[in-house]
Amino acid sequence: MTPVELSRTVLHAVRRAVDEGELAVAVLPERVVVAPPGPGGCGDYATNVALQLARPAGQPAPALAELLRTRLLRTDGISDVVVTWPGFLNISLDGDADGRLVRDILRAGLRYGHSDTLAGQTVELHAAHDARAVVLMDAVARVLRSQGARPRLTCAGPPEDAWVRILGVPSDIPSDIPAGIGTGIGTGAPLRPVPAPADPTPLGRDAARWALLLPAPHDRPHIGDSRSEQHLAQRETNPLFRVRYAHARTRALLRNAADLGFTPEPGPLTPEGDGPLTLEPGPLSSDGDGPVTVDGEAQGLIQLLADHPRVLAATAAHRAPDRLARHLVAVADALAPLLPSVLPLGDEKPSAAHRARLALAEAAGTVLAGGLSLLGIDAPEHL
């Protein structure tokens, strides 16, 4: 169960309590925020929904939390719910929740995180006649489509031929400004990021788009200065290289596993009864503090994979592809230490744990490839 699914589950419990007369609230929240527990909390996720509803419901938050706890405990995928002061719900997922997440990702493929949340909505996007603005608009449109919206793009002038050929922006963007385009934040607000200080096209499509999209729109991209060449460097200081290298490694692991006669299968990452499996950080790992455990590193990665649908929704809502780009870097960095443990070493035979690690690696690679695709960037299988 992903955080988005858990949020919907909690909200469904609130609505059922209202429908059945156990809870009297005039206006229900549109969404419920779930997050890792804070100090004093426990379980996998926590929510303050009982605290939010206590005043309008005219009930003490702890009593309201107990009411919702009873309902949530009857839900598949939830193993325990603990109420902590002053009314937080701390939710533990079933032991196989991680395996179900991996299965969900592999089943959805590159569309993992896509939704119909914005189905039926037409979103007006207008960009200045500037390479970065048009690339930003193209990326925002891709993410909006992944959430079910129908973006309608316009530009202050026809896209330059080089932007179409090299940067991959659509060639048919109208140059008229539709009526109703405003200057505020939200639907219809013009996209005016800080322009690139130099022509990005010499970097090529993938590096140029990454260089334009990774910084927040209000930050100046590093193009044309001493750091411009970093976007082309095949070394770990280049975040785009780390993301694409991590994806390529997952594809190579799948090919190597097939040669060894085994395939991915979600499940426990360490053999039952064995202690924690330690390994040295991978070549692209940002953790230089010594050995790490497979289970410990995997939990950080799994949290990031589970958060991917929320990141896509936030990217669409805020028109901010930099959020997605930074998320992909975090996924790649969390995946790196696990890669050396996926294949058996020496005379070791492939085990269920190896199949589970391979499935987790494939799921992470799928998220990386899907995210890069939404940014308009290629995810090569060989690098």
Side-chain angles (χ1 to χ4, degrees), residues 284-350:
L284 298 183
S285 172
S286 58
D287 183 358
D289 296 330
V292 294
T293 66
V294 166
D295 285 330
E297 290 297 308
Q299 282 309 306
L301 174 60
I302 288 168
Q303 290 282 354
L304 289 167
L305 299 181
D307 205 33
H308 186 65
R310 184 198 64 81
V311 171
L312 292 186
T315 297
H318 296 280
R319 318 291 191 257
D322 58 290
R323 295 184 178 217
L324 175 56
R326 291 195 301 271
H327 175 67
L328 298 181
V329 175
V331 170
D333 289 347
L335 171 62
L338 294 169
L339 295 175
S341 69
V342 172
L343 298 179
L345 301 176
D347 295 332
E348 189 180 9
K349 300 296 183 183

Side-chain angles (χ1 to χ4, degrees), residues 4 6 37 82 105 125 130 143 154 161 173 218 238 261 295 326:
V4 172
L6 180 58
V82 176
I105 295 173
L125 297 175
D130 166 75
V143 179
T154 58
D161 179 63
I173 302 176
H218 58 266
N238 177 3
D295 285 330
R326 291 195 301 271

Side-chain angles (χ1 to χ4, degrees), residues 268 270-275 353:
T270 53
E272 187 175 352
D274 286 6

Side-chain angles (χ1 to χ4, degrees), residues 2-383:
T2 68
V4 172
E5 292 169 337
L6 180 58
S7 172
R8 292 172 181 162
T9 298
V10 176
L11 185 56
H12 179 70
V14 172
R15 288 173 175 162
R16 288 292 300 274
V18 171
D19 292 343
E20 296 176 13
E22 293 184 331
L23 178 62
V25 180
V27 180
L28 293 176
E30 293 184 1
R31 60 188 294 265
V32 171
V33 176
V34 297
C42 58
D44 298 303
Y45 295 99
T47 177
N48 65 347
V49 65
L51 295 166
Q52 291 178 308
L53 296 175
R55 182 183 295 273
Q59 295 189 38
L64 184 51
E66 284 291 344
L67 184 156
L68 296 175
R69 173 181 179 273
T70 302
R71 290 183 168 275
L72 290 171
L73 284 173
R74 299 197 292 264
T75 303
D76 290 341
I78 294 178
S79 61
D80 194 18
V81 182
V82 176
V83 177
T84 54
W85 185 258
F88 287 98
L89 287 162
N90 299 265
I91 303 170
S92 297
L93 303 180
D94 280 351
D96 192 39
D98 294 347
R100 282 199 300 273
L101 172 65
V102 172
R103 290 187 187 92
D104 289 344
I105 295 173
L106 298 182
R107 187 180 305 114
L110 299 181
R111 293 183 57 81
Y112 171 65
H114 292 209
S115 78
D116 58 0
T117 304
L118 302 179
Q121 297 187 30
T122 298
V123 181
E124 304 282 359
L125 297 175
H126 180 72
H129 190 255
D130 166 75
R132 188 184 187 198
V134 176
V135 168
L136 176 68
M137 180 172 65
D138 178 45
V140 169
R142 291 167 182 259
V143 179
L144 283 168
R145 292 188 192 101
S146 79
Q147 303 303 297
R150 295 193 302 267
R152 189 160 62 187
L153 283 57
T154 58
C155 183
E160 300 292 335
D161 179 63
W163 303 351
V164 176
R165 287 187 298 102
I166 300 175
L167 301 183
V169 302
S171 61
D172 56 351
I173 302 176
S175 58
D176 58 317
I177 303 176
I181 286 290
T183 57
I185 297 175
T187 300
L191 299 174
R192 294 195 180 100
V194 174
D199 180 12
T201 57
L203 292 174
R205 173 172 173 160
D206 293 335
R209 289 183 72 101
W210 181 266
L212 295 171
L213 295 173
L214 178 62
H218 58 266
D219 291 332
R220 186 177 298 278
H222 297 304
I223 295 177
D225 59 16
S226 59
R227 287 175 285 184
S228 181
E229 292 301 314
Q230 172 186 312
H231 302 301
L232 298 172
Q234 295 200 29
R235 53 176 178 263
E236 60 186 270
T237 55
N238 177 3
L240 175 58
F241 173 71
R242 296 209 303 275
V243 171
R244 302 212 304 177
Y245 177 79
H247 169 262
R249 281 288 307 275
T250 65
R251 305 309 299 173
L253 289 171
L254 287 166
R255 293 191 296 270
N256 293 338
D259 291 340
L260 293 174
F262 74 100
T263 57
E265 177 60 39
L269 300 175
T270 53
E272 187 175 352
D274 286 6
L277 177 64
T278 61
L279 52 117
E280 293 297 326
L284 298 183
S285 172
S286 58
D287 183 358
D289 296 330
V292 294
T293 66
V294 166
D295 285 330
E297 290 297 308
Q299 282 309 306
L301 174 60
I302 288 168
Q303 290 282 354
L304 289 167
L305 299 181
D307 205 33
H308 186 65
R310 184 198 64 81
V311 171
L312 292 186
T315 297
H318 296 280
R319 318 291 191 257
D322 58 290
R323 295 184 178 217
L324 175 56
R326 291 195 301 271
H327 175 67
L328 298 181
V329 175
V331 170
D333 289 347
L335 171 62
L338 294 169
L339 295 175
S341 69
V342 172
L343 298 179
L345 301 176
D347 295 332
E348 189 180 9
K349 300 296 183 183
S351 66
H354 289 114
R355 291 192 288 273
R357 293 172 211 154
L358 182 62
L360 177 58
E362 183 182 11
T366 299
V367 167
L368 294 175
L372 286 173
S373 175
L374 290 175
L375 296 177
I377 297 172
D378 184 43
E381 296 206 358
H382 302 269
L383 197 63

